Amino acid sequence: ILNVEQSPQSLHVQEGDSTNFTCSFPSSNFYALHWYRWETAKSPEALFVMTLNGDEKKKGRISATLNTKEGYSYLYIKGSQPEDSATYLCAFYGGGTSYGKLTFGQGTILTVHP
Amino acid sequence: DGGITQSPKYLFRKEGQNVTLSCEQNLNHDAMYWYRQDPGQGLRLIYYSQIVNDFQKGDIAEGYSVSREKKESFPLTVTSAQKNPTAFYLCASTLLGERSEKLFFGSGTQLSVL
């Protein structure tokens, strides 16, 4: 089973703070890295899918970077709002025996306090 | 509206009983997945299917079975061999099962043991 680690496990910030989390994944057999947001009582929704080393994606106040050579991705939220409170999941899509399936990290739980 | 429907939302299983979780999609997606979530852990892959009448074991397939007789349906049976079935189960799909495609998720089923 592949090792995909996210840190921190949970994070509490004040409204307006900027924050970031990390996803670590195997640096070999890389195919893609996904980020999802999972709000309470809702289904997880895709934020980004990144496939190339050096990829940077942005959606509103949220952005992500990718380093496949060292096996990490950062998710940044600028000016956090209470509606950003959610669990943020990353998932690694690898090759070899893992081809065809995503392996998820355990998630980072973000709470934004008004 | 297109989407993924999981039912029931809550399910209770008695000792020695098999139960089946339903997952239906009208997105015309080829690939479908079943994930399990336990508190403090990431989503773990149980089974996936990339085409009708074919499916593969994920990381934690023991005690589960699936079928894929129709493109739109991918039911999961939790058998009596699954000794710790209490968890939240999510069904997901992608168009072709390729690395750059984001997952679309259902709303989940919470399974508990009586």
Side-chain angles (χ1 to χ4, degrees):
Chain A
I1 297 179
L2 298 173
N3 197 26
V4 180
E5 296 285 339
Q6 290 187 247
S7 62
Q9 282 194 315
S10 64
L11 196 54
H12 291 256
V13 301
Q14 291 298 125
E15 183 175 354
D17 288 348
S18 292
T19 187
N20 65 85
F21 343 121
T22 305
C23 174
S24 301
F25 51 84
S27 55
S28 60
N29 282 324
F30 175 87
Y31 273 51
L33 194 285
H34 294 219
W35 280 101
Y36 292 84
R37 175 167 60 196
W38 192 359
E39 296 177 68
T40 302
K42 294 187 178 180
S43 306
E45 287 188 338
L47 287 172
F48 307 114
V49 178
M50 295 184 285
T51 57
L52 297 175
N53 185 42
D55 255 356
E56 292 188 19
K57 300 276 187 179
K58 188 174 181 183
K59 185 176 181 178
R61 294 179 290 99
I62 304 177
S63 60
T65 61
L66 178 68
N67 184 324
T68 62
K69 295 187 188 305
E70 296 182 41
Y72 64 84
S73 175
Y74 293 137
L75 188 78
Y76 301 92
I77 302 178
K78 186 178 177 182
S80 302
Q81 299 297 309
E83 58 264 31
D84 295 327
S85 297
T87 298
Y88 290 83
L89 299 167
C90 70
F92 171 78
Y93 192 120
T97 56
S98 300
Y99 183 78
K101 55 184 183 178
L102 279 171
T103 300
F104 281 83
Q106 76 276 33
T108 292
I109 302 170
L110 173 67
T111 304
V112 183
H113 299 279
Chain B
D1 283 337
I4 300 178
T5 301
Q6 288 188 243
S7 62
K9 193 169 181 177
Y10 301 96
L11 187 58
F12 297 91
R13 194 191 89 166
K14 295 179 183 177
E15 290 287 339
Q17 187 182 41
N18 292 353
V19 292
T20 297
L21 283 62
S22 170
C23 177
E24 304 274 333
Q25 54 96 0
N26 60 4
L27 299 167
N28 200 32
H29 284 179
D30 283 325
M32 297 186 74
Y33 309 81
W34 274 106
Y35 287 92
R36 167 179 171 145
Q37 197 214 14
D38 295 279
Q41 295 197 41
L43 300 178
R44 292 185 292 166
L45 183 64
I46 305 172
Y47 268 99
Y48 64 108
S49 167
Q50 293 184 302
I51 197 168
V52 174
N53 291 324
D54 189 37
F55 47 83
Q56 288 77 40
K57 292 182 179 180
D59 299 320
I60 54 166
E62 187 174 348
Y64 299 96
S65 66
V66 292
S67 63
R68 188 83 187 278
E69 296 175 4
K70 298 187 295 181
K71 186 176 184 177
E72 57 271 22
S73 178
F74 192 41
L76 174 75
T77 297
V78 184
T79 75
S80 56
Q82 173 48 246
K83 297 306 178 190
N84 185 22
T86 297
F88 188 72
Y89 292 85
L90 274 171
C91 179
S93 70
T94 61
L95 183 60
L96 297 171
E98 296 183 356
R99 61 171 174 161
S100 59
E101 296 171 347
K102 60 183 180 181
L103 289 174
F104 289 81
F105 286 91
S107 55
T109 294
Q110 175 64 51
L111 176 62
S112 302
V113 177
L114 289 175

